[in-house]
Amino acid sequence: MSHSVTSAADGVNPDDRPPARPGAAPPAAAPHPSRDPIVLVGAALIAATLGLRAWVLRHAYFVEDDFLFVADAAASPLTVEYLTELHKGHLMPGAKLLVYVLTAVSPYNWALASGTMLALQGAAAAATFRLLWEVFGRRWAILAPLAAAVCAPLTVPVLAWWSAALNGVPFQLATALALLWTVRHLRGGRERDAWLAAGAVAAGMAFSVKAMLLPLLLFAVAAAFCTPGPLAWAPSAALRARPRFWASMGALLLGHLVVYLSRPADAEGAGVPDAGAALGQARRLLAETFPVGAVGGPVRWDPVTPAGGLLEPHPAALVAAWTVLGALVAVSLAYRPRWAWRAWALLAGYLVCVDVLPTLVARGRYQELVGHDPRYVADAALVFALCLALAFLPTRWEAEGERGPRWLPRLPPRVVRGAAAGATALFVAAASYSTHTYAGTLSGDRVRWYLDTVRTSLASIPDRAGVFARPVPEDVVLPWNGARRYSSYLLSPLAGEDADRVADPRPAAVPMVLNDAGFLVVAEPAPDSAFYGPPEGEECVETLGGQVLWPVHSLGGPGLVAGLAYTSGGDAPVTLTVGDDERTTELPAAPNGAAWYVPLDGRGEHLLVEVPDDVCLTWVTFGELVPSVEGNPWEQEETEQESG
């Protein structure tokens, strides 16, 4: 863009202009940052964006992996092994430490968990503002890329799902800070800035595997925009200028890679992508999800998953997005060809290397629909904003803005300012509306009500009851999580002092389970449970030396329970065995008959029961338990009393 478009139109503050010529009048003093209208408008934009996102978070709640994180933190000691264990391919010791602390303070506290992420999001926005200020000076023009970074709908879904936010939001903050301190170090040479940049990269690596590639982003920015001379010589010149700094960045990258590869493989993590699925995901991420989300779309989020809406854009939205991006690229290449192509190449390289390729390695075996999940490209919003600014605005260390070809029209500054302000306002409006509509895809109220009910139910467990495990509803944790979706693992942190009774169910006379509404109710054997009784005409099961063996088909699992109905004149021991799981418990005296339920999660083909000869078994069941009452048992009781 010509100098008249990029400098005079930007309203550059006096302190950011090149030094005055000798003899010229001194420039007016710059206002204090706290009273600078540019700073105030930028701060107001960030505050308004955070307020809207806080409103979105009111509609969100814990879902899916959130429960797995809390349950794992509650069940594990704080060890290096716990912190460095991979979670679905993610090495994230910082995130797991944060989960551990929040769980210890207050498990399943959404205000605490989401508030922490919102505060980090605010810090990332402030760091982005300071980065733009550092690179381009305190000028009105930086508010446009600031809006592109902090308002982008791309960054909303990653904030609303806590598990994704644990990776994505600290990574956004680390990226902004690493870029800020790297630029400061390259321009000023202060060792303090070098240490801070390295610390930001290391902190990002503690939360996200993607941060392993942050040193490459920093070097690309340094070579392309912070090193004078031809681009062909820039990489070697950048290395020669700051050899120790780049050596430390390389050491961080290699160190993180070694630690990551040294961890035991995670079956749900990295794998060889399926070619068809991987190509479909890459096309959706690069050609649909990122372009639409970066320019303020999609307005309508679809399809909707338990964790919120995905970004499968309407064709009209896709055409509009590419029209906007195409216009930005074309205009910038026309007016600032030397720098604009570098900026857009940097963005393309980042999207492919940092976002798409890691996603394909981690999720390339799954459905192409993964490509419509904006969480995988959320961090690119910041890089897009920086590249947008680099494509149009001269940096502070450019002696003069690059002039475009003479035949291009030189637009009046007032026209440029008005067009930029109008485009920015239109983007903010579209992005805000898309953020608003995203809240409608969240099902936080239902899950919040369920968890509150569970918390209340587990506050008063009857002494004679055993709280046995059963799967939580599918809209809380999906079935494919296997044994990790059982109440004994996920919901025990809500039981307070009785957490052990829920996490490790004990034999009991009164079996109870949590129904799908979250109420603790009396349980009964599931209809498909195995049932064994005495021979016809007999009162007791026949045993051989006190032992009886029945065929079962047990695949194991925390929800399997053996139930025994019996009579006994006194307390009597009983031993039950399935596969390699053997449980011995004491049957309370029951001259008039009673029942006793024992968790038995072994995998095997036979159920062996051993009792003394004076114990009469009247029936035995084996299988999962189901609630005898669905919904609110108190309402049903009142209804029955009224109808009676």
Side-chain angles (χ1 to χ4, degrees):
M1 189 174 290
S2 68
H3 185 61
S4 63
V5 174
T6 60
S7 182
D10 295 339
V12 182
N13 277 3
D15 62 329
D16 294 321
R17 291 173 178 157
R21 295 187 304 274
H32 190 275
S34 64
R35 297 187 297 273
D36 191 313
I38 300 172
V39 176
L40 294 177
V41 173
L45 177 64
I46 292 173
T49 301
L50 292 177
L52 180 57
R53 296 185 181 209
W55 178 78
V56 171
L57 289 174
R58 291 184 58 189
H59 294 76
Y61 204 64
F62 298 107
V63 66
E64 269 298 313
D65 286 19
D66 301 349
F67 286 88
L68 304 181
F69 276 118
V70 174
D72 193 28
S76 304
L78 185 58
T79 62
V80 173
E81 184 66 25
Y82 161 75
L83 293 175
T84 58
E85 183 181 7
L86 299 185
H87 176 82
K88 298 184 178 180
H90 294 282
L91 175 64
M92 43 191 292
K96 298 190 78 171
L97 177 61
L98 179 59
V99 172
Y100 191 93
V101 171
L102 296 181
T103 301
V105 172
S106 181
Y108 294 120
N109 186 324
W110 180 245
L112 178 62
S114 63
T116 301
M117 291 298 105
L118 189 64
L120 290 174
Q121 184 82 83
T128 301
F129 191 14
R130 193 64 185 89
L131 169 65
L132 295 170
W133 180 348
E134 182 72 26
V135 175
F136 304 101
R138 198 164 64 247
R139 59 180 69 182
W140 286 105
I142 65 174
L143 295 180
L146 176 65
V150 303
C151 300
L154 278 178
T155 60
V156 177
V158 74
L159 175 66
W161 187 8
W162 189 49
S163 298
L166 287 167
N167 299 132
V169 176
F171 178 49
Q172 294 172 37
L173 174 59
T175 301
L177 291 176
L179 284 166
L180 170 63
W181 285 319
T182 295
V183 169
R184 284 181 172 177
H185 175 65
L186 296 179
R187 303 305 303 171
R190 291 192 304 177
E191 289 295 319
R192 175 176 175 271
D193 292 329
W195 282 105
L196 289 172
V201 171
M205 290 176 174
F207 287 86
S208 175
V209 175
K210 285 184 178 182
M212 186 191 308
L213 302 175
L214 264 183
L216 301 182
L217 172 66
L218 300 179
F219 185 73
V221 172
F225 298 100
C226 300
T227 304
L231 183 60
W233 297 92
S236 59
L239 287 173
R240 291 194 304 270
R242 297 283 185 266
R244 288 192 302 166
F245 178 74
W246 296 119
S248 66
M249 288 296 170
L252 283 173
L253 189 159
L254 292 176
H256 187 268
L257 180 61
V258 169
V259 173
Y260 181 77
L261 295 178
S262 68
R263 303 308 302 151
D266 183 358
E268 298 175 273
V272 178
D274 174 77
L279 288 175
Q281 291 174 12
R283 178 180 63 81
R284 284 166 168 77
L285 286 171
L286 292 173
E288 300 179 15
T289 302
F290 172 77
V292 174
V295 301
V299 177
R300 178 179 62 88
W301 301 82
D302 186 71
V304 177
T305 71
L310 300 183
L311 201 162
E312 185 174 1
H314 188 276
L318 192 59
V319 170
W322 275 109
T323 300
V324 171
L325 290 177
L328 290 173
V329 172
V331 172
S332 63
L333 287 175
Y335 282 97
R336 280 175 56 86
R338 179 186 177 189
W339 302 107
W341 80 264
R342 298 186 188 188
W344 300 123
L346 174 65
L347 175 63
Y350 183 90
L351 282 167
V352 171
C353 297
V354 180
D355 284 341
V356 174
L357 290 181
T359 299
L360 299 186
V361 172
R363 300 289 178 261
R365 295 161 290 169
Y366 307 125
Q367 297 178 353
E368 295 183 13
L369 197 63
V370 168
H372 284 143
D373 193 335
R375 299 174 184 92
Y376 295 114
V377 290
D379 49 279
L382 188 160
V383 179
F384 170 70
L386 177 62
C387 292
L388 178 67
L390 289 169
F392 282 95
L393 302 177
T395 61
R396 293 177 66 178
W397 47 88
E398 285 184 48
E400 185 178 359
E402 181 185 8
R403 296 180 182 271
R406 293 182 179 275
W407 55 267
L408 284 174
R410 298 195 177 194
L411 301 176
R414 182 177 300 177
V415 173
V416 176
R417 286 196 296 266
T424 302
L426 184 61
F427 167 80
V428 171
S432 299
Y433 185 74
S434 293
T435 301
H436 168 79
T437 57
Y438 181 77
T441 70
L442 300 173
S443 56
D445 290 343
R446 147 75 183 134
V447 183
R448 181 182 292 107
W449 187 89
Y450 169 80
L451 219 60
D452 288 345
T453 304
V454 170
R455 184 181 283 108
T456 302
S457 297
L458 295 181
S460 55
I461 302 174
D463 291 337
R464 298 179 62 247
V467 183
F468 294 98
R470 69 181 297 261
V472 300
E474 292 187 12
D475 60 347
V476 177
V477 176
L478 292 171
W480 66 271
N481 286 284
R484 294 179 298 176
R485 67 179 292 246
Y486 278 77
S487 57
S488 55
Y489 179 64
L490 300 176
L491 303 179
S492 57
L494 296 173
E497 295 180 355
D498 288 326
D500 290 342
R501 293 179 61 184
V502 179
D504 186 19
R506 65 188 188 187
V510 180
M512 302 191 80
V513 295
L514 290 161
N515 65 19
D516 287 348
F519 292 95
L520 187 63
V521 299
V522 175
E524 58 190 18
D528 60 351
S529 297
F531 180 86
Y532 307 101
E536 187 175 352
E538 300 291 336
E539 294 184 0
C540 302
V541 171
E542 292 183 354
T543 65
L544 182 61
Q547 296 184 344
V548 59
L549 186 69
W550 288 288
V552 296
H553 181 63
S554 173
L555 298 177
L560 295 174
V561 177
L564 300 89
Y566 68 97
T567 59
S568 175
D571 295 346
V574 59
T575 300
L576 303 99
T577 306
V578 172
D580 59 357
D581 185 16
E582 180 180 298
R583 305 287 180 98
T584 298
T585 182
E586 188 93 350
L587 295 175
N592 298 319
W596 195 247
Y597 294 84
V598 182
L600 198 64
D601 58 6
R603 177 192 297 263
E605 299 294 330
H606 295 90
L607 168 63
L608 174 65
V609 180
E610 302 176 69
V611 294
D613 290 335
D614 58 349
V615 173
C616 172
L617 294 176
T618 55
W619 53 257
V620 174
T621 65
F622 178 74
E624 293 195 339
L625 299 178
V626 296
S628 59
V629 177
E630 291 292 354
N632 188 336
W634 312 113
E635 290 182 356
Q636 294 192 24
E637 183 176 340
E638 292 175 0
T639 301
E640 292 174 358
Q641 291 177 352
E642 291 175 0
S643 61

